[in-house]
Amino acid sequence: MKKENQDKKEIILYMPSAVIAMASALTAFQHKAWDSMLYNAKKTLNKNQNAETFEITLSELKYLAGHAGGNKRIKDSIEKLMATTGVFNIFGKDRAPWAYKAVLLSGYGVKYSSGELTIVYSFDPQIRKKLADNLYIYSKIDLLTRKKLKSKYAIILYRILRDYKDMQIPKIPIEKFKFLCGIAALYDGNIPMLKRNVLDVACAEINENTDFKISYEIIEDFIKFKFKAPVTQLPEKRTSKGPENPYSDPKRTVIDNVMGRIYITGGPAEPARQENVKAPMKTPSVSKEEAERILAGIDLSRLPVEHIKKIKERYNL
């Protein structure tokens, strides 16, 4: 394993928001393994946006995923990722106002490189495109913090919280949260069991192991998560040559704020029921007047023309 990762206090995965809002029936360890493979792929794509295959050593994958055991669990998890189709963009935070499906891993193989077992793998083109395109909305997921989480529900919730750390977390329909966690068929109408086995467990792990302090309440058919204390921001690392990564550009903060405040709260996208079926976005909850008020407080000269155009078209400004 690379010593540079061992010495780091944080290992940041710049995870596209559409990928964060991914529904699947993975275990906690499988989520961790997939995140680790996304992290290595993103590093490769930052250097070469045309890369189609990626590599990660077995020792690095074990370290990032928090696995100290044998190799069978790794092999079984990778094969599970190849057999699993995820539904992405559940919250409609992506530029496309619909959910879409893609297999989590499209292929893999192994080889020996410098005397170490290395996994060679590839992603579905839709996932690879999200990782390669720096204009998509993203969030910073600290893999070392995520490694401390034992429950898959805590891992999923941690991603959501990082995605909404700069804004109010929208109410999430209970059925949508269950779908996101891969438990759509469980706890049907049994809210006490859902609270005890899923929500209480996830929140307790988050409060103990991350920089978040959160609570939740059930409001009719929705779950409302709340930040109980200010969120500690993950620091941006800079060198004399400028930002360490393409997302450190100050322009990104403005884009995220506008797209998050207007596009995200416009309502979650319903998951497509079949391949290549576009599900319509619900009626936006942000009015034209509210959109005008938000935009009035932002320096639009710092936004890409395409974003300004889309915002104005959507809200008829």
Side-chain angles (χ1 to χ4, degrees):
M1 184 187 67
K2 297 179 181 177
K3 189 175 185 299
E4 63 184 67
N5 279 342
Q6 282 183 308
D7 295 338
K8 288 182 176 180
K9 294 183 179 180
E10 59 185 27
I11 298 177
I12 304 302
L13 163 62
Y14 293 89
M15 196 173 196
S17 292
V19 176
I20 288 175
M22 182 272 293
S24 67
L26 299 180
T27 65
F29 179 74
Q30 289 159 1
H31 274 290
K32 292 178 180 181
W34 194 61
D35 284 356
S36 304
M37 298 172 90
L38 289 173
Y39 168 75
N40 253 38
K42 181 59 186 169
K43 288 198 303 181
T44 300
L45 288 165
N46 283 345
K47 300 174 183 177
N48 175 16
Q49 286 197 331
N50 296 318
E52 295 186 354
T53 60
F54 313 98
E55 298 182 4
I56 185 171
T57 64
L58 181 62
S59 59
E60 185 174 14
L61 179 56
K62 285 184 174 182
Y63 175 71
L64 293 176
H67 177 58
N71 298 341
K72 186 178 185 301
R73 191 181 188 190
I74 298 288
K75 179 177 180 293
D76 290 346
S77 294
I78 291 176
E79 291 183 351
K80 173 66 174 179
L81 293 174
M82 287 193 62
T84 299
T85 297
V87 182
F88 295 82
N89 198 34
I90 297 300
F91 297 142
K93 198 174 179 183
D94 199 355
R95 287 182 292 183
W98 58 80
Y100 54 88
K101 294 182 179 181
V103 66
L104 300 186
L105 206 63
S106 60
Y108 89 102
V110 295
K111 69 175 185 178
Y112 277 95
S113 179
S114 301
E116 188 167 13
L117 189 64
T118 299
I119 300 166
V120 183
Y121 58 98
S122 58
F123 289 114
D124 180 277
Q126 293 185 94
I127 299 175
R128 197 201 69 82
K129 181 180 179 182
K130 295 289 184 295
L131 292 173
D133 188 345
N134 294 334
L135 286 179
Y136 283 102
I137 306 173
Y138 73 97
S139 288
K140 295 187 292 186
I141 309 298
D142 182 3
L143 298 187
L144 297 185
T145 296
R146 180 230 54 194
K147 188 163 68 168
K148 301 175 186 176
L149 304 175
K150 306 299 182 184
S151 162
K152 72 173 183 178
Y153 310 123
I155 292 171
I156 292 168
L157 181 56
Y158 174 66
R159 292 176 185 153
I160 295 172
L161 297 175
R162 291 246 45 112
D163 210 23
Y164 285 96
K165 65 182 178 60
D166 293 326
M167 63 194 73
Q168 185 177 13
I169 306 171
K171 291 189 296 184
I172 303 174
I174 292 175
E175 292 304 315
K176 183 157 290 188
F177 184 77
K178 288 169 53 183
F179 179 69
L180 187 68
C181 293
I183 54 172
L186 300 180
Y187 309 114
D188 189 16
N190 195 335
I191 299 301
M193 288 287 286
L194 177 69
K195 292 171 67 174
R196 184 173 67 221
N197 295 343
V198 178
L199 297 171
D200 290 348
V201 171
C203 289
E205 282 198 40
I206 292 291
N207 290 335
E208 181 178 353
N209 297 293
T210 77
D211 57 348
F212 294 113
K213 300 300 177 187
I214 63 167
S215 63
Y216 76 91
E217 61 178 323
I218 303 294
I219 305 174
E220 296 181 343
D221 295 329
F222 295 84
I223 305 170
K224 178 63 178 176
F225 293 101
K226 298 178 181 179
F227 292 119
K228 295 196 291 188
V231 180
T232 302
Q233 299 296 317
L234 292 172
E236 293 286 357
K237 295 183 177 180
R238 296 179 180 272
T239 67
S240 58
K241 296 181 181 180
E244 183 181 79
N245 60 71
Y247 302 109
S248 320
D249 186 338
K251 186 186 297 182
R252 286 297 318 171
T253 301
V254 179
I255 294 173
D256 286 350
N257 287 341
V258 175
M259 299 295 281
R261 185 72 176 89
I262 297 179
Y263 277 78
I264 300 166
T265 58
E270 294 293 340
R273 300 302 179 186
Q274 303 174 30
E275 297 288 351
N276 301 320
V277 176
K278 298 181 180 180
M281 177 171 278
K282 294 182 178 179
T283 303
S285 60
V286 175
S287 65
K288 175 182 176 180
E289 292 72 21
E290 174 74 353
E292 288 177 334
R293 187 184 66 77
I294 295 169
L295 291 176
I298 296 174
D299 180 3
L300 294 182
S301 66
R302 298 175 66 192
L303 280 173
V305 174
E306 63 181 271
H307 286 81
I308 297 174
K309 181 179 178 182
K310 287 181 179 179
I311 291 171
K312 289 186 175 181
E313 285 178 351
R314 177 165 184 180
Y315 292 94
N316 195 25
L317 302 178

